[in-house]
Structures are given as C-alpha cells and as structure tokens.
Amino acid sequence: MMPKGMTVKTVRGKLPPLRALAQIFLRTRFLLAIFMTGLVIVFWQSFSGSAANLQKFYCFGPAKSPLEISANEHNSWHAHQRTPVLFNHHEPLVVDTQTIQNDDLNSIKSTPEAWKNKERVLILTPLRDASYYLAKYFDLVSQLTYPHELIDLAFLISDTKDDTKAALVQELQRIQKGVKPFRSVKIVEKDFGLNESQDVEVRHSFAFQGPRRKAMGRARNYLLYSALKPDHSWVYWRDVDIVDSPERILEDFMSHDKDVIVPNIWFHRYQDGRDIEGRFDYNSWQESAKGLALAAKLPKDTILAEGYKEYDTGRKHMATMGDWRQDKDEEMELDGIGGVSILVKADVHRSGINFPAYAFENQAETEGFAKMAKRAGYKVIGLLNYVVWHIDTDEKPGNA
C-alpha cells in the first residue's frame, strides 16, 4: 500500500534513477564490503559446523590426565586396542665378488671319529737331499686307509743338492694318476743356508745339533704356514725316511683324541740273522729334576741336545721303553717329542704353537714345540707300544 496522497508516478519520481543505482553497486568499496561479509559468513558456518561434528564423537577412557589414571583404568582403556606389528623381512645380502671370502672356523672340529665326520688332514713332510727315500715314502703313504679325498699333501724342499724335486714330481704324478689320488698336493721351496753334509756323522754330530735344529724349526714353520688351510682339522708331520708304519696310523692316533700324539720310533737292524729292534728317537722324553737343574745353569740361548753324553739330563726316554707286542693304546705324557711322526690338532697350530727356531726353555724345533704346547695347556702324549720303524742310519755310539 502506498501512503495517502502518493501515487505510483509520485513514488517513481522519488526513487533514484537506475544509472545512479548502478554506479552505487559498482563502486569498489561496496563490492569489497559485500566480499568481506560473505567471507565472514563462510568462516562462521565452517567453525560452527566443526564444533557440532566434534560433539558427535565419543571419547573413550577416563576424563583425566594419563598421569592420574589408575592401573585398572589404563588396562580398561587399552583393552579394545590392537598394537600394530610390522615384519621387516630383510632379503639376504648377496656377495657377488670373488675378492671377498668368509671362513667359518667354528665348524672345524678335530674328533676321535674324524673319518666319519669327513675331517680334512694335512700331511707335511720337509725334504732335503731326499730323492733316495721318496719311492718308499709314497708306497707307505698311498697305503693309508684314511680317505685320500680328505688328505692334502705338502712338501718343503730346502738346501738340496741332489735331484729331490724331480724325484718328488715323478712320484706325485704316479700317485695322483692312480686309483686313489689325494685331494691336493703342494710343493714349497725355501733355502735356509745349510751347507753341511747330510752324512750321519755330520748330521747327528753334537756340534751340529744347535744350528741344525734351528734350521729345521724354520723349515717346518715355513711349510706349515704355506700349506695350512681353514678347512684342515688335523696336521700330520711325517718324515721321509720311515720304512714301515701301520696303514691305520691316522685313525689310530685320532681315536685317542689328544692335542699332540707321537708313536715310539725304532729301527730294524739284523745281526747274526736276528733283528735287534734298535731304539731310534731319543727326542721323546719326560722331564726330570736333573734336566731342569741343568737347563737352569745353561745360558738361555743354548739348545739342549737330548741323547748326547755332553748333556746328562736324567730324562726318561720313551724309546727305551715299550714293546710293539703289547697294548698299542697305552699312553704316557711327554715333555719333549721327536719329529718322525706327529699328529697335531690343527687348532693347536692355529693358536700359535709352532716349532721355535730359537731356544725356548733351552729346546728347539720339535722338543721346543712340545714345551710350548705344554706351556699353553695342551696335552702331549706318546704311545710307547705303538712303533713306527725308521730307516737304520747306522748311528755311531753317542749319537741319538
């Protein structure tokens, strides 16, 4: 309804013209005011809606600080939850280069039934002017009953004037091309400056024992460290001039489960048609109070050569005891050993027990080795009735 006295025409006359209205609405201030008003409305509705939505959720657990809730409330609060568990299965690391190797020595054992456990054996033999003995040596070694595929052979040739190397290679070819070849063979060459004759009178003379035993200790160590591999369980030292020994010598020795073990060493010599069964190796002995007193008086760098009249030690020599007809498993503890035939658990050598090329407690080479092994707590055992036969060297009186 219009006020009294007003007509449509009158009202239209009072309204602002359209052009004026358009100018008002198109002004920047007006548009900015409209935009800000709309923005305020949008934000208001957003916040009010969020508050309303939050009220729809139920908060489990007591309405108090985690530090204030009791153990029962804590258990009740966590009873409905499941702790996520993530399994991170790593793929194995593949080593694809041959320059990186891994040797697990924890798996290398030396057991009494080594042949059943497929334990590997390293046979070591030092050689010097030994061509004469090699044929017999390989005849005996090839007869060993221990599985040949578990045996490695290694030889050190030193200070040789004869044809040892050629004879050795010839015999090795014969054996390795036969029906029972060994797992591997290694030849090492190293000279130590020994120029003395190999004649018995010189080699076993008292004056030559110190230099000779030191050089032999070096030769054994060079051979050992050149040939010992991580998979070897046993090391068997065998001289080249053995003429007879049991075929089961390795299994027999292993069955005793000793750190270091040696047989008795005799030789055959026939007089008037009778074998005198000579006693050869006086380097296997038990220490005596007299021997200890003598060593205490000697300079520390003096090598005490056993079995010579120049040194009266009073020691008990295994060579003078025993009988091959008696119990072959009878043991006796030793403080010194000879080098003709020695079986050693490989870990004894790996632990640093070697053949001193110097005076160790006034002993060198194999006797020093035994002293060192005893000092380290290893068992050194001799089998006084188990005889290995050495070549008869026709020793002169006073030489052992």
Side-chain angles (χ1 to χ4, degrees):
M1 294 182 62
M2 293 181 293
K4 290 182 178 182
M6 297 291 290
T7 64
V8 175
K9 188 175 182 179
T10 306
V11 173
R12 286 180 177 176
K14 292 185 175 291
L15 291 175
L18 292 175
R19 183 178 296 176
L21 290 174
Q23 290 179 352
I24 293 174
F25 288 117
L26 293 177
R27 287 179 180 175
T28 303
R29 291 182 180 178
F30 182 80
L31 294 176
L32 182 60
I34 295 298
F35 173 77
M36 294 300 295
T37 302
L39 192 62
V40 170
I41 293 172
V42 170
F43 274 107
W44 175 259
Q45 290 181 347
S46 175
F47 283 117
S48 62
S50 298
N53 290 333
L54 287 174
Q55 294 177 0
K56 297 178 182 179
F57 293 96
Y58 175 75
C59 183
F60 293 94
K64 58 178 69 175
S65 167
L67 299 177
E68 298 176 349
I69 63 176
S70 65
N72 290 335
E73 290 172 332
H74 181 273
N75 291 335
S76 177
W77 164 241
H78 289 89
H80 67 284
Q81 295 183 345
R82 294 293 183 269
T83 302
V85 179
L86 300 178
F87 292 95
N88 187 8
H89 296 289
H90 294 286
E91 293 184 0
L93 183 61
V94 178
V95 179
D96 56 0
T97 174
Q98 294 183 352
T99 60
I100 301 176
Q101 296 182 353
N102 179 64
D103 295 319
D104 184 8
L105 295 181
N106 294 306
S107 61
I108 306 302
K109 307 296 182 183
S110 305
T111 65
E113 295 185 327
W115 57 96
K116 292 183 180 179
N117 299 324
K118 299 186 182 303
E119 296 170 13
R120 303 195 184 280
V121 179
L122 174 63
I123 299 181
L124 298 177
T125 301
L127 301 174
R128 182 186 177 211
D129 295 332
S131 59
Y132 173 80
Y133 309 102
L134 286 170
K136 184 62 175 179
Y137 172 90
F138 280 103
D139 286 344
L140 294 175
V141 170
S142 63
Q143 295 172 9
L144 293 174
T145 57
Y146 197 88
H148 287 199
E149 65 272 16
L150 299 177
I151 297 178
D152 296 304
L153 304 179
F155 305 87
L156 182 135
I157 302 174
S158 64
D159 301 296
T160 294
K161 298 181 177 63
D162 70 357
D163 214 14
T164 293
K165 185 176 181 181
L168 174 62
V169 171
Q170 185 176 4
E171 290 295 330
L172 286 172
Q173 286 182 321
R174 176 175 68 89
I175 295 297
Q176 292 303 92
K177 291 180 180 180
V179 295
K180 294 175 62 178
F182 293 98
R183 180 192 180 205
S184 72
V185 179
K186 186 170 191 174
I187 300 174
V188 181
E189 295 183 73
K190 173 64 179 177
D191 294 331
F192 301 100
L194 279 180
N195 298 314
E196 288 77 5
S197 169
Q198 282 286 78
D199 292 342
V200 172
E201 290 80 2
V202 177
R203 182 176 58 178
H204 285 180
S205 65
F206 173 76
F208 189 43
Q209 288 313 295
R212 175 174 174 266
R213 299 302 293 276
K214 290 179 180 179
M216 291 173 62
R218 293 181 66 194
R220 289 185 185 273
N221 290 333
Y222 271 76
L223 178 55
L224 172 65
Y225 296 131
S226 298
L228 184 63
K229 297 178 181 178
D231 60 353
H232 286 139
S233 296
W234 300 88
V235 177
Y236 177 46
W237 293 91
R238 185 181 178 98
D239 275 3
V240 70
D241 45 7
I242 292 174
V243 297
D244 193 14
S245 64
E247 297 175 356
R248 286 184 50 84
I249 187 170
L250 289 175
E251 294 93 328
D252 291 343
F253 284 5
M254 292 168 177
S255 66
H256 286 262
D257 195 25
K258 294 299 187 293
D259 302 312
V260 181
I261 190 167
V262 297
N264 215 338
I265 308 298
W266 295 4
F267 62 88
H268 295 295
R269 181 183 297 174
Y270 295 91
Q271 295 179 353
D272 299 326
R274 182 180 63 87
D275 187 358
I276 67 170
E277 295 183 353
R279 312 304 172 96
F280 181 81
D281 195 345
Y282 286 79
N283 293 325
S284 294
W285 40 261
Q286 288 181 339
E287 187 59 274
S288 66
K290 190 174 183 180
L292 292 174
L294 175 61
K297 297 176 182 178
L298 294 174
K300 295 301 181 183
D301 58 350
T302 298
I303 304 296
L304 205 167
E306 188 59 37
Y308 292 83
K309 59 185 179 182
E310 285 81 358
Y311 288 133
D312 182 11
T313 62
R315 290 165 173 169
K316 185 184 295 185
H317 301 100
M318 187 171 69
T320 63
M321 307 168 59
D323 187 339
W324 60 268
R325 303 165 187 84
Q326 303 299 322
D327 180 13
K328 291 180 174 56
D329 292 325
E330 185 177 350
E331 300 177 355
M332 67 177 293
E333 291 194 18
L334 297 174
D335 298 294
I337 61 172
V340 176
S341 179
I342 314 171
L343 184 67
V344 185
K345 290 185 177 181
D347 279 353
V348 175
H349 283 314
R350 292 192 181 100
S351 298
I353 311 302
N354 57 19
F355 300 90
Y358 53 89
F360 179 84
E361 298 184 5
N362 293 107
Q363 307 292 163
E365 205 225 344
T366 57
E367 292 166 292
F369 167 76
K371 285 276 190 176
M372 191 180 295
K374 297 272 288 190
R375 174 79 73 87
Y378 292 109
K379 286 287 186 182
V380 179
I381 296 297
L383 301 180
L384 66 162
N385 298 322
Y386 197 107
V387 175
V388 167
W389 300 90
H390 193 275
I391 193 172
D392 180 10
T393 56
D394 193 19
E395 297 290 344
K396 302 300 180 183
N399 288 350

